[in-house]
Amino acid sequence: MRFWPRIFVNAFIFLALAGFFQSSLAGGFQNSFYVSSVWIALLASFVLALLNAVVKPILFVLSLPITILTLGLFSVVLNAIMLELTSWFVGSNFAFSSFGTTLIIAIIMSLCNAIISDHFARA
């Protein structure tokens, strides 16, 4: 998938997950992920893309031994770290209540992006 469509898809996923985590369906995770507006979601998506292009390759190389030991599962933690960095850069308009919530968001985003990327690859 190209750069701008991925930015818009990630912004949409951010908004959808923030809406879900604000509802009572989230149970104990209610109010644990906050996005203040569509523009903040777009900004966060853009910042995440920049961080994934610049910082993530460095972190991946540095964490390669632990990633190998965990059979690749540490990559989910790296994705959560990227989301936390995004939250730090964007500010209080894009926030997670805990690192556990960030891990859950990272897993859901990875699954959604894999499904959507596969759909666009077939089209």
Side-chain angles (χ1 to χ4, degrees):
M1 191 174 358
R2 292 187 158 162
F3 180 75
W4 288 109
R6 184 171 299 274
I7 295 291
F8 291 124
V9 165
N10 281 341
F12 177 76
I13 294 171
F14 282 147
L15 289 171
L17 289 174
F20 174 75
F21 280 96
Q22 295 299 319
S23 72
S24 61
L25 295 174
F29 289 103
Q30 189 174 6
N31 299 322
S32 59
F33 177 46
Y34 175 72
V35 178
S36 65
S37 69
V38 174
W39 301 111
I40 295 297
L42 283 168
L43 175 66
S45 182
F46 186 74
V47 169
L48 180 63
L50 290 177
L51 288 172
N52 280 340
V54 176
V55 177
K56 191 173 181 179
I58 297 167
L59 288 179
F60 181 77
V61 169
L62 291 175
S63 68
L64 193 57
I66 196 167
T67 303
I68 292 171
L69 284 174
T70 61
L71 302 175
L73 290 177
F74 192 73
S75 62
V76 174
V77 175
L78 284 178
N79 288 341
I81 291 170
M82 292 293 101
L83 284 173
E84 283 287 345
L85 280 173
T86 301
S87 173
W88 185 76
F89 279 113
V90 172
S92 63
N93 292 322
F94 182 83
F96 302 95
S97 65
S98 67
F99 191 72
T101 301
T102 311
L103 275 172
I104 292 171
I105 298 289
I107 291 169
I108 295 171
M109 284 196 65
S110 296
L111 289 172
C112 290
N113 278 320
I115 292 168
I116 292 168
S117 294
D118 182 57
H119 175 72
F120 280 114
R122 292 181 188 203

